[in-house]
Amino acid sequence: MRVKSSLLNITAGIGNQIIITILSFVSRTVFINSLGIEYLGINGLFTSILAMLSLAEAGIGSSIVYNLYKPVADNDRPKIMALMNLYKKAYLVIAGVVLLLGLSIMPFLDVFIKNTSVENISLIYLLFLINTVTPYLFIYKYSFLNVNQKNYIVSGVFSISSILSVCAKIAILYFTQQFIFYLIIECVVSLMSSIILAKIVDRMYPFLRQKIETKLDPDTKANFIKNMKAILLQNIGTYFIFGVDSILISSFISVAAVGLYSNYKMLIDLCRTFINQVFANMYHSLGNLVAKESEEKVFHVFKVTMLLNFWLYSLLAIMLYLFIEPLILVWIGSEFVMGPLVVLLLIITFYERGMRNSITMLKTTAGIFHEDRFVPLCQAALNLSISFILVQRMGIAGIFIGTLVSALLVPFWTTPYFVYKRVFKQPLKLYFTRYGYYSIIAVIAAAAAAYICSFLPTGGLFWLLTRGTLCFLLINAIYAAVFHRTEEFKYLLGVAEAILSKIPKLRALLLKRSRHLEVSGNK
């Protein structure tokens, strides 16, 4: 059942991501041509500022979702209802806190914004704030779908809403060049998507609307509070690691520089989100596995996910390193290129952070929150210190050096340490031996791909696609040759064969579930 749910969720997630990727390119192109680089910078800056406000949510969602795994697996409805009620109340408070914090920042926006001619800054910020607060009123409901391994429903609704939203925003930008209308459409579609998902949950799980008669036991409450505090500390640190880049760039360089960086960030985030569709849709299945299976079974699955994680992240890291600047040149022009040093730093950071994905996923599903609660804060302190010093000497590259160095000094080794010590009870050197071996293979594959590229012309979309296709095939061929005899590869090959053989069945299952929802809704 776990494998079937994961396959269904991954299929829906990847389909959703393909749609989002295409629409993102079209939308970004129209945005740049209609409004210019400064509005792009404002868009990235306000996104970063409001990510900081969202720290009010940090810890609550993850902690409650973790506590839901076992009662959902045991079908303990009274406890599920009590936890969901707590979830609902917590998010109502969160929405209010984020709104008040957001409004309190409005008088100080000039502190973060340097050298801009953009008008109506306060109104633009207010619309960003509304779009940030609104989902908190509904998120507790559709998170229950994720815990039940029905992520494909969430992916499907957001796919449709994304198509509608982006098409409407493209039309507004093309015909009116009005950023305000652009943001209003985004707010309306986001609200409607959340309402629709909430209604779906009500129909699928009507017991959640029943009167709550069971109270949470003291142990569950104590565990929730303990984990919530730990995750809050972790997410505060994480924000100051990844969320302040745009603020630093805007403060020390310019809003236009944020716009340049946002194009690279969009392309890298698209790759990261694509991979996360695979792992996020395995996440709740892994949580169910940790709750039920032995350490040996969990360790075997971890090794499989680590190979898959390496394969996907290293493949896309190499492709990004070789083609991100040529793509930007073909797509929007040479004035949007930032230089090879920035690209190298961004790609190494992408790879290092991505390689921690499988171990971090296991850490979270195993409920390891308290032990490393101060790790992100230590990393954040190092990141801000190094970035603040180097940005004044090296410019934008100094900020990214700070992010990379702080990651290597702290979570690079602490995250696997806690998992191997508590979950696997095995020596940490096993992890780093495997990590080093994988990284060497990646460097060899990158060198081979770069060598092949050197023989092909560089100009034009046709040659870009040709070089990209050849490199993609070469890297995968190298990995298949190296790993084809391993147990992990054979397991993944079996899963791939299952996916191919069950595509008609998956389609039929999706149709069947859709009809079931319609019938339930008519009752």
Side-chain angles (χ1 to χ4, degrees), residues 277-289:
Q277 288 295 338
V278 176
F279 285 94
N281 288 305
M282 293 169 57
Y283 177 93
H284 301 289
S285 296
L286 187 58
N288 183 271
L289 181 77

Side-chain angles (χ1 to χ4, degrees), residues 171-300:
I172 285 172
L173 289 177
Y174 184 80
F175 290 108
T176 71
Q177 291 82 47
Q178 289 294 323
F179 191 43
I180 303 296
F181 293 159
Y182 173 97
L183 294 175
I184 290 172
I185 287 293
E186 191 167 0
C187 291
V188 171
V189 174
S190 176
L191 175 62
M192 294 305 298
S193 301
S194 297
I195 292 173
I196 290 169
L197 281 169
K199 293 294 184 182
I200 290 173
V201 174
D202 286 342
R203 291 175 181 175
M204 293 182 67
Y205 305 100
F207 71 89
L208 293 176
R209 291 181 290 172
Q210 296 174 5
K211 185 178 180 180
I212 307 297
E213 298 180 355
T214 303
K215 293 184 178 180
L216 287 175
D217 58 276
D219 290 341
T220 300
K221 279 187 177 180
N223 185 56
F224 164 64
I225 294 171
K226 176 183 175 182
N227 287 340
M228 183 183 69
K229 291 178 179 178
I231 301 171
L232 177 60
L233 290 172
Q234 291 174 352
N235 286 0
I236 289 172
T238 300
Y239 172 78
F240 282 102
I241 295 163
F242 300 109
V244 300
D245 287 351
S246 294
I247 296 174
L248 288 173
I249 294 169
S250 177
S251 301
F252 285 95
I253 303 173
S254 69
V255 171
V258 178
L260 292 177
Y261 164 59
S262 70
N263 292 321
Y264 286 78
K265 186 175 184 299
M266 184 198 78
L267 294 172
I268 292 172
D269 284 348
L270 284 173
C271 293
R272 182 178 288 114
T273 306
F274 177 83
I275 299 173
N276 286 345
Q277 288 295 338
V278 176
F279 285 94
N281 288 305
M282 293 169 57
Y283 177 93
H284 301 289
S285 296
L286 187 58
N288 183 271
L289 181 77
V290 171
K292 288 187 172 184
E293 303 290 352
S294 64
E295 293 174 7
E296 291 76 13
K297 176 68 173 177
V298 175
F299 186 59
H300 170 69

Side-chain angles (χ1 to χ4, degrees), residues 26 133 226 250 424 471:
V26 176
V133 171
K226 176 183 175 182
S250 177
F424 300 145
C471 289

Side-chain angles (χ1 to χ4, degrees), residues 60-254:
I60 295 178
S62 297
S63 183
I64 296 179
V65 167
Y66 167 69
N67 284 309
L68 276 169
Y69 283 130
K70 194 171 190 311
V72 167
D74 297 339
N75 197 28
D76 185 352
R77 288 193 173 183
K79 190 168 185 178
I80 291 171
M81 291 165 66
L83 283 166
M84 290 295 288
N85 187 52
L86 176 62
Y87 210 176
K88 177 182 179 179
K89 292 178 180 178
Y91 269 98
L92 286 174
V93 174
I94 288 166
V97 171
V98 172
L99 181 61
L100 290 175
L101 289 174
L103 293 173
S104 68
I105 287 177
M106 283 186 68
F108 307 100
L109 291 177
D110 290 343
V111 175
F112 304 108
I113 299 172
K114 182 179 180 181
N115 301 330
T116 183
S117 58
V118 176
E119 299 178 350
N120 300 314
I121 291 292
S122 295
L123 178 57
I124 290 171
Y125 174 79
L126 185 61
L127 289 170
F128 268 91
L129 179 60
I130 292 171
N131 200 33
T132 300
V133 171
T134 301
Y136 290 140
L137 303 175
F138 305 94
I139 194 172
Y140 76 98
K141 281 200 172 182
Y142 58 79
S143 292
F144 193 67
L145 291 172
N146 297 333
V147 177
N148 283 274
Q149 303 177 47
K150 300 185 187 298
N151 316 52
Y152 62 89
I153 297 175
V154 180
S155 296
V157 171
F158 280 128
S159 291
I160 295 170
S161 66
S162 295
I163 293 171
L164 294 175
S165 175
V166 173
C167 290
K169 290 189 293 186
I170 288 172
I172 285 172
L173 289 177
Y174 184 80
F175 290 108
T176 71
Q177 291 82 47
Q178 289 294 323
F179 191 43
I180 303 296
F181 293 159
Y182 173 97
L183 294 175
I184 290 172
I185 287 293
E186 191 167 0
C187 291
V188 171
V189 174
S190 176
L191 175 62
M192 294 305 298
S193 301
S194 297
I195 292 173
I196 290 169
L197 281 169
K199 293 294 184 182
I200 290 173
V201 174
D202 286 342
R203 291 175 181 175
M204 293 182 67
Y205 305 100
F207 71 89
L208 293 176
R209 291 181 290 172
Q210 296 174 5
K211 185 178 180 180
I212 307 297
E213 298 180 355
T214 303
K215 293 184 178 180
L216 287 175
D217 58 276
D219 290 341
T220 300
K221 279 187 177 180
N223 185 56
F224 164 64
I225 294 171
K226 176 183 175 182
N227 287 340
M228 183 183 69
K229 291 178 179 178
I231 301 171
L232 177 60
L233 290 172
Q234 291 174 352
N235 286 0
I236 289 172
T238 300
Y239 172 78
F240 282 102
I241 295 163
F242 300 109
V244 300
D245 287 351
S246 294
I247 296 174
L248 288 173
I249 294 169
S250 177
S251 301
F252 285 95
I253 303 173
S254 69

